[in-house]
Amino acid sequence: MISLYDLHSHSTASDGTLSPAALVNLAVEAGVDVLALTDHDTTEGLAEAAEVAAGQAIQFVTGVEISVTWGGQVVHIVGLGFDPDNKALQAGLAELRTFRDWRAEEIGRRLEKHAIPDAYEGAKALSNGRLISRSHFARFLVANGYAPDMRKVFKQFLTHGKPGHVAGEWADLDRAVDWIKQAGGQTVIAHPARYSMTRTKLRRLLGEFQEVGGDALEVVSSSHSKDEIFTMARHAKEFSLLASAGSDFHGPETPWANLGRLTPLPDQVTPIWRDWPTHMAAISA
Ligand code: AMP
Ligand code: MN
Ligand code: MN
Ligand code: MN
């Protein structure tokens, strides 16, 4: 039987709406065999997820989605299968969260100037004391009637050139890859078809990623069309990158990115899990 891999998901440790425990239980229900929790810039949810996964018919893989600035744009790098206790990795992620804290206050100040009071407090309350993402601002703004839905609220308030947008420097690409490598893991360029980049620039990103020791391209993502999957599979081959697959699940509210609901990887690519040890036999025995 072919195993179902979902190697990109979020919990309340960042901007997902399910706790790590609830996420793992839902993954088991959805028939996922191998799950990675990849919260933005934090590994805080991993221990709880691993604990709930132990003893169930699912293999849990440690993960994180690192915010990177490359070529003046934000790019996401997923790390998989690393040691969460690694000091270099944790120091790097802590830097990013310090920037995040400042940015959240700055977004609040900017929205305040735009006659939207208390957005920082609102987003903070929705984040339950964990890191604050633009998703928390988006939920606050929608809940308070400033925009009709999540897609529109980003477009009107939270993206480049809009009142609540704050530019800034996230991690460098080579550093992010290095943190994960030092912690013994593999790196993946997340949802590569979602960056507004020319084909030439994307190819430059793939080349640089490969040069600094990056491992894989997320060929299958819920946000990729069939055509994009095909194109990214070709790119993975051309740049000698492995292929990963993940839903980018953030919660049951977004049914178009459902846990485990993924198109299989195209035949021509090599899955990132090719050389992973398999514990599935032991679990089902
Ligand atoms: P941050 O890392 O705090 O800048 O937040 C980025 C997160 O916002 C992403 O990981 C997505 O979950 C979410 N996001 C970004 N753009 C959109 C969009 N257009 N619609 C819905 N969610 C979005
Ligand atoms: Mn997110
Ligand atoms: Mn992402
Ligand atoms: Mn994600």
Side-chain angles (χ1 to χ4, degrees), residues 1-272:
M1 206 190 78
I2 296 167
S3 291
L4 179 55
Y5 287 79
D6 191 334
L7 303 177
H8 188 154
S9 69
H10 297 274
S11 75
T12 47
S14 67
D15 62 349
T17 60
L18 297 184
S19 68
L23 175 84
V24 170
N25 289 330
L26 185 63
V28 172
E29 256 176 59
V32 173
D33 297 298
V34 183
L35 173 75
L37 171 60
T38 55
D39 274 309
H40 299 284
D41 307 323
T42 181
T43 60
E44 212 190 303
L46 298 182
E48 178 183 318
E51 195 178 319
V52 173
Q56 299 206 64
I58 192 164
Q59 185 181 339
F60 182 71
V61 176
T62 57
V64 67
E65 182 173 13
I66 304 180
S67 309
V68 162
T69 303
W70 182 85
Q73 284 179 269
V74 180
V75 166
H76 286 169
I77 300 296
V78 160
L80 294 173
F82 52 82
D83 169 15
D85 294 329
N86 181 272
K87 289 217 166 55
L89 171 63
Q90 288 304 340
L93 296 179
E95 267 179 45
L96 296 179
R97 292 193 300 270
T98 302
F99 171 65
R100 243 178 209 288
D101 289 344
W102 172 83
R103 184 191 68 156
E105 291 179 33
E106 184 64 17
I107 291 175
R109 285 191 286 269
R110 292 190 189 196
L111 289 174
E112 189 119 30
K113 281 194 196 134
H114 198 73
I116 301 176
D118 303 328
Y120 172 71
E121 291 73 15
K124 194 178 168 75
L126 288 171
S127 78
N128 290 310
R130 290 164 138 180
L131 67 73
I132 307 179
S133 127
R134 280 185 297 161
S135 302
H136 298 110
F137 280 95
R139 285 177 203 138
F140 168 83
L141 292 168
V142 170
N144 287 278
Y146 293 104
D149 59 51
M150 287 295 275
R151 207 179 60 81
K152 293 211 175 78
V153 75
F154 271 91
K155 222 173 149 181
Q156 288 172 15
F157 295 102
L158 299 169
T159 49
H160 197 73
K162 298 299 152 67
H165 183 261
V166 178
E169 288 287 307
W170 296 99
D172 289 336
L173 180 67
D174 56 343
R175 290 188 76 207
V177 169
D178 191 52
W179 298 334
I180 298 296
K181 293 269 165 209
Q182 286 198 46
Q186 288 173 293
T187 51
V188 185
I189 297 182
H191 43 64
R194 288 289 61 75
Y195 306 121
S196 20
M197 276 180 200
T198 60
R199 209 181 132 80
T200 310
K201 187 168 176 184
L202 179 65
R203 290 167 57 83
R204 195 150 58 80
L205 171 64
L206 302 187
E208 248 181 64
F209 179 68
Q210 208 252 7
E211 267 172 36
V212 300
D215 297 292
L217 196 57
E218 198 172 66
V219 169
V220 168
S221 163
S222 299
S223 73
H224 286 177
S225 68
K226 291 255 153 61
D227 282 2
E228 288 168 340
I229 290 174
F230 182 76
T231 305
M232 292 308 152
R234 275 204 346 247
H235 283 326
K237 286 300 276 182
E238 188 186 340
F239 289 88
S240 304
L241 292 167
L242 301 169
S244 189
S247 62
D248 206 0
F249 178 78
H250 280 72
E253 305 80 7
T254 50
W256 58 88
N258 228 330
L259 211 49
R261 199 82 57 75
L262 290 165
T263 310
L265 279 180
D267 284 341
Q268 76 262 37
V269 297
T270 307
I272 188 170

